[in-house]
mmCIF file of all heavy atoms in Angstrom:
data_model
loop_
_atom_site.group_PDB
_atom_site.id
_atom_site.type_symbol
_atom_site.label_atom_id
_atom_site.label_comp_id
_atom_site.label_asym_id
_atom_site.label_seq_id
_atom_site.Cartn_x
_atom_site.Cartn_y
_atom_site.Cartn_z
ATOM 1 N N THR A 325 -97.238 50.802 17.849
ATOM 2 C CA THR A 325 -96.691 49.892 16.835
ATOM 3 C C THR A 325 -95.785 50.665 15.889
ATOM 4 O O THR A 325 -95.583 51.869 16.022
ATOM 5 C CB THR A 325 -97.807 49.245 15.995
ATOM 6 O OG1 THR A 325 -98.452 50.262 15.212
ATOM 7 C CG2 THR A 325 -98.822 48.531 16.847
ATOM 8 N N ALA A 326 -95.263 49.945 14.900
ATOM 9 C CA ALA A 326 -94.601 50.576 13.773
ATOM 10 C C ALA A 326 -95.652 51.303 12.935
ATOM 11 O O ALA A 326 -96.832 50.968 12.963
ATOM 12 C CB ALA A 326 -93.881 49.529 12.934
ATOM 13 N N GLY A 327 -95.192 52.287 12.156
ATOM 14 C CA GLY A 327 -96.109 53.063 11.322
ATOM 15 C C GLY A 327 -95.951 54.546 11.602
ATOM 16 O O GLY A 327 -95.241 54.968 12.523
ATOM 17 N N TRP A 328 -96.653 55.340 10.810
ATOM 18 C CA TRP A 328 -96.510 56.790 10.933
ATOM 19 C C TRP A 328 -97.046 57.292 12.273
ATOM 20 O O TRP A 328 -98.246 57.258 12.534
ATOM 21 C CB TRP A 328 -97.241 57.504 9.798
ATOM 22 C CG TRP A 328 -96.820 57.147 8.405
ATOM 23 C CD1 TRP A 328 -97.639 56.792 7.375
ATOM 24 C CD2 TRP A 328 -95.489 57.126 7.875
ATOM 25 N NE1 TRP A 328 -96.908 56.547 6.245
ATOM 26 C CE2 TRP A 328 -95.580 56.743 6.526
ATOM 27 C CE3 TRP A 328 -94.230 57.388 8.422
ATOM 28 C CZ2 TRP A 328 -94.471 56.624 5.706
ATOM 29 C CZ3 TRP A 328 -93.113 57.260 7.616
ATOM 30 C CH2 TRP A 328 -93.239 56.882 6.268
ATOM 31 N N ASP A 329 -96.157 57.751 13.133
ATOM 32 C CA ASP A 329 -96.503 58.449 14.379
ATOM 33 C C ASP A 329 -97.411 57.640 15.298
ATOM 34 O O ASP A 329 -98.253 58.203 16.007
ATOM 35 C CB ASP A 329 -97.160 59.804 14.056
ATOM 36 C CG ASP A 329 -96.232 60.710 13.271
ATOM 37 O OD1 ASP A 329 -95.166 61.068 13.790
ATOM 38 O OD2 ASP A 329 -96.568 61.046 12.116
ATOM 39 N N VAL A 330 -97.249 56.326 15.337
ATOM 40 C CA VAL A 330 -98.117 55.511 16.195
ATOM 41 C C VAL A 330 -97.320 54.722 17.239
ATOM 42 O O VAL A 330 -97.836 53.772 17.815
ATOM 43 C CB VAL A 330 -99.002 54.556 15.361
ATOM 44 C CG1 VAL A 330 -100.088 55.336 14.626
ATOM 45 C CG2 VAL A 330 -98.177 53.729 14.387
ATOM 46 N N GLY A 331 -96.076 55.108 17.490
ATOM 47 C CA GLY A 331 -95.296 54.532 18.574
ATOM 48 C C GLY A 331 -95.171 55.525 19.718
ATOM 49 O O GLY A 331 -95.066 56.737 19.491
ATOM 50 N N ARG A 332 -95.190 55.036 20.935
ATOM 51 C CA ARG A 332 -95.081 55.902 22.121
ATOM 52 C C ARG A 332 -94.135 55.266 23.139
ATOM 53 O O ARG A 332 -93.931 54.060 23.166
ATOM 54 C CB ARG A 332 -96.459 56.110 22.758
ATOM 55 C CG ARG A 332 -97.468 56.875 21.909
ATOM 56 C CD ARG A 332 -97.037 58.334 21.706
ATOM 57 N NE ARG A 332 -98.055 59.114 21.012
ATOM 58 C CZ ARG A 332 -98.175 59.211 19.692
ATOM 59 N NH1 ARG A 332 -97.319 58.540 18.908
ATOM 60 N NH2 ARG A 332 -99.119 59.956 19.141
ATOM 61 N N GLU A 333 -93.584 56.124 23.990
ATOM 62 C CA GLU A 333 -92.717 55.720 25.100
ATOM 63 C C GLU A 333 -91.483 54.950 24.613
ATOM 64 O O GLU A 333 -91.410 53.725 24.719
ATOM 65 C CB GLU A 333 -93.493 54.894 26.134
ATOM 66 C CG GLU A 333 -94.614 55.659 26.797
ATOM 67 C CD GLU A 333 -95.298 54.857 27.905
ATOM 68 O OE1 GLU A 333 -94.734 53.838 28.349
ATOM 69 O OE2 GLU A 333 -96.397 55.291 28.331
ATOM 70 N N PRO A 334 -90.491 55.678 24.085
ATOM 71 C CA PRO A 334 -89.279 55.016 23.599
ATOM 72 C C PRO A 334 -88.592 54.196 24.695
ATOM 73 O O PRO A 334 -88.550 54.606 25.855
ATOM 74 C CB PRO A 334 -88.398 56.179 23.145
ATOM 75 C CG PRO A 334 -88.954 57.386 23.826
ATOM 76 C CD PRO A 334 -90.414 57.142 23.971
ATOM 77 N N VAL A 335 -88.090 53.038 24.323
ATOM 78 C CA VAL A 335 -87.333 52.187 25.244
ATOM 79 C C VAL A 335 -85.858 52.493 24.986
ATOM 80 O O VAL A 335 -85.294 52.058 23.978
ATOM 81 C CB VAL A 335 -87.643 50.701 25.031
ATOM 82 C CG1 VAL A 335 -86.875 49.853 26.037
ATOM 83 C CG2 VAL A 335 -89.137 50.450 25.166
ATOM 84 N N LEU A 336 -85.237 53.223 25.891
ATOM 85 C CA LEU A 336 -83.870 53.705 25.697
ATOM 86 C C LEU A 336 -82.822 52.703 26.159
ATOM 87 O O LEU A 336 -81.660 52.787 25.745
ATOM 88 C CB LEU A 336 -83.676 55.031 26.436
ATOM 89 C CG LEU A 336 -84.626 56.168 26.014
ATOM 90 C CD1 LEU A 336 -84.399 57.395 26.886
ATOM 91 C CD2 LEU A 336 -84.434 56.521 24.545
ATOM 92 N N ASN A 337 -83.215 51.763 27.012
ATOM 93 C CA ASN A 337 -82.263 50.785 27.546
ATOM 94 C C ASN A 337 -82.221 49.527 26.683
ATOM 95 O O ASN A 337 -83.240 48.852 26.531
ATOM 96 C CB ASN A 337 -82.650 50.369 28.965
ATOM 97 C CG ASN A 337 -82.579 51.511 29.950
ATOM 98 O OD1 ASN A 337 -83.480 52.344 29.999
ATOM 99 N ND2 ASN A 337 -81.517 51.538 30.735
ATOM 100 N N PRO A 338 -81.060 49.170 26.142
ATOM 101 C CA PRO A 338 -80.944 47.851 25.528
ATOM 102 C C PRO A 338 -81.021 46.766 26.602
ATOM 103 O O PRO A 338 -80.849 47.037 27.796
ATOM 104 C CB PRO A 338 -79.550 47.873 24.881
ATOM 105 C CG PRO A 338 -79.100 49.284 24.922
ATOM 106 C CD PRO A 338 -79.821 49.939 26.055
ATOM 107 N N VAL A 339 -81.260 45.552 26.173
ATOM 108 C CA VAL A 339 -81.257 44.400 27.067
ATOM 109 C C VAL A 339 -80.330 43.348 26.476
ATOM 110 O O VAL A 339 -80.399 43.049 25.275
ATOM 111 C CB VAL A 339 -82.682 43.829 27.247
ATOM 112 C CG1 VAL A 339 -82.635 42.456 27.911
ATOM 113 C CG2 VAL A 339 -83.539 44.779 28.066
ATOM 114 N N LEU A 340 -79.446 42.816 27.310
ATOM 115 C CA LEU A 340 -78.553 41.741 26.894
ATOM 116 C C LEU A 340 -79.152 40.415 27.323
ATOM 117 O O LEU A 340 -79.542 40.242 28.482
ATOM 118 C CB LEU A 340 -77.176 41.924 27.526
ATOM 119 C CG LEU A 340 -76.102 40.894 27.146
ATOM 120 C CD1 LEU A 340 -75.792 40.979 25.650
ATOM 121 C CD2 LEU A 340 -74.836 41.120 27.962
ATOM 122 N N TYR A 341 -79.225 39.486 26.387
ATOM 123 C CA TYR A 341 -79.778 38.156 26.656
ATOM 124 C C TYR A 341 -78.671 37.120 26.517
ATOM 125 O O TYR A 341 -78.019 37.025 25.468
ATOM 126 C CB TYR A 341 -80.908 37.836 25.676
ATOM 127 C CG TYR A 341 -81.503 36.462 25.848
ATOM 128 C CD1 TYR A 341 -82.407 36.188 26.866
ATOM 129 C CD2 TYR A 341 -81.154 35.421 24.981
ATOM 130 C CE1 TYR A 341 -82.952 34.920 27.020
ATOM 131 C CE2 TYR A 341 -81.704 34.156 25.120
ATOM 132 C CZ TYR A 341 -82.601 33.914 26.149
ATOM 133 O OH TYR A 341 -83.134 32.649 26.301
ATOM 134 N N ARG A 342 -78.438 36.369 27.583
ATOM 135 C CA ARG A 342 -77.430 35.311 27.562
ATOM 136 C C ARG A 342 -78.046 34.072 26.917
ATOM 137 O O ARG A 342 -78.930 33.439 27.490
ATOM 138 C CB ARG A 342 -76.981 34.983 28.994
ATOM 139 C CG ARG A 342 -76.598 36.194 29.816
ATOM 140 C CD ARG A 342 -75.269 36.781 29.391
ATOM 141 N NE ARG A 342 -74.879 37.898 30.247
ATOM 142 C CZ ARG A 342 -73.784 38.627 30.102
ATOM 143 N NH1 ARG A 342 -72.948 38.336 29.124
ATOM 144 N NH2 ARG A 342 -73.506 39.617 30.915
ATOM 145 N N SER A 343 -77.585 33.745 25.742
ATOM 146 C CA SER A 343 -78.233 32.672 24.977
ATOM 147 C C SER A 343 -77.962 31.295 25.556
ATOM 148 O O SER A 343 -78.737 30.370 25.338
ATOM 149 C CB SER A 343 -77.772 32.723 23.520
ATOM 150 O OG SER A 343 -76.383 32.471 23.418
ATOM 151 N N GLY A 344 -76.845 31.143 26.290
ATOM 152 C CA GLY A 344 -76.608 29.905 27.016
ATOM 153 C C GLY A 344 -76.053 28.762 26.206
ATOM 154 O O GLY A 344 -76.156 27.615 26.618
ATOM 155 N N PHE A 345 -75.430 29.035 25.039
ATOM 156 C CA PHE A 345 -74.953 27.899 24.258
ATOM 157 C C PHE A 345 -73.655 27.337 24.830
ATOM 158 O O PHE A 345 -73.314 26.181 24.595
ATOM 159 C CB PHE A 345 -74.777 28.279 22.793
ATOM 160 C CG PHE A 345 -73.551 29.087 22.504
ATOM 161 C CD1 PHE A 345 -72.372 28.471 22.149
ATOM 162 C CD2 PHE A 345 -73.585 30.470 22.579
ATOM 163 C CE1 PHE A 345 -71.239 29.214 21.871
ATOM 164 C CE2 PHE A 345 -72.468 31.211 22.306
ATOM 165 C CZ PHE A 345 -71.293 30.591 21.958
ATOM 166 N N THR A 346 -72.907 28.142 25.588
ATOM 167 C CA THR A 346 -71.707 27.607 26.242
ATOM 168 C C THR A 346 -71.896 27.439 27.741
ATOM 169 O O THR A 346 -71.058 26.873 28.416
ATOM 170 C CB THR A 346 -70.497 28.525 26.019
ATOM 171 O OG1 THR A 346 -70.808 29.830 26.525
ATOM 172 C CG2 THR A 346 -70.141 28.611 24.550
ATOM 173 N N TYR A 347 -72.970 27.969 28.241
ATOM 174 C CA TYR A 347 -73.273 27.840 29.661
ATOM 175 C C TYR A 347 -74.783 27.972 29.801
ATOM 176 O O TYR A 347 -75.473 28.401 28.886
ATOM 177 C CB TYR A 347 -72.575 28.927 30.485
ATOM 178 C CG TYR A 347 -72.718 30.301 29.883
ATOM 179 C CD1 TYR A 347 -73.855 31.077 30.100
ATOM 180 C CD2 TYR A 347 -71.724 30.814 29.040
ATOM 181 C CE1 TYR A 347 -73.998 32.316 29.522
ATOM 182 C CE2 TYR A 347 -71.869 32.057 28.458
ATOM 183 C CZ TYR A 347 -73.004 32.805 28.703
ATOM 184 O OH TYR A 347 -73.144 34.032 28.119
ATOM 185 N N TYR A 348 -75.301 27.632 30.939
ATOM 186 C CA TYR A 348 -76.743 27.733 31.138
ATOM 187 C C TYR A 348 -77.030 28.455 32.442
ATOM 188 O O TYR A 348 -76.492 28.116 33.483
ATOM 189 C CB TYR A 348 -77.408 26.344 31.174
ATOM 190 C CG TYR A 348 -78.915 26.452 31.264
ATOM 191 C CD1 TYR A 348 -79.661 26.741 30.140
ATOM 192 C CD2 TYR A 348 -79.571 26.303 32.482
ATOM 193 C CE1 TYR A 348 -81.040 26.870 30.215
ATOM 194 C CE2 TYR A 348 -80.945 26.432 32.561
ATOM 195 C CZ TYR A 348 -81.673 26.711 31.431
ATOM 196 O OH TYR A 348 -83.031 26.850 31.511
ATOM 197 N N LEU A 349 -77.847 29.474 32.359
ATOM 198 C CA LEU A 349 -78.216 30.255 33.531
ATOM 199 C C LEU A 349 -79.695 30.040 33.829
ATOM 200 O O LEU A 349 -80.549 30.309 32.991
ATOM 201 C CB LEU A 349 -77.956 31.745 33.273
ATOM 202 C CG LEU A 349 -76.508 32.134 32.906
ATOM 203 C CD1 LEU A 349 -76.440 33.614 32.591
ATOM 204 C CD2 LEU A 349 -75.565 31.793 34.033
#
Side-chain angles (χ1 to χ4, degrees):
T325 67
W328 302 130
D329 299 298
V330 288
R332 295 294 186 273
E333 297 185 15
V335 182
L336 301 176
N337 296 79
V339 167
L340 182 64
Y341 178 78
R342 310 287 183 182
S343 64
F345 76 92
T346 58
Y347 46 83
Y348 185 78
L349 302 176

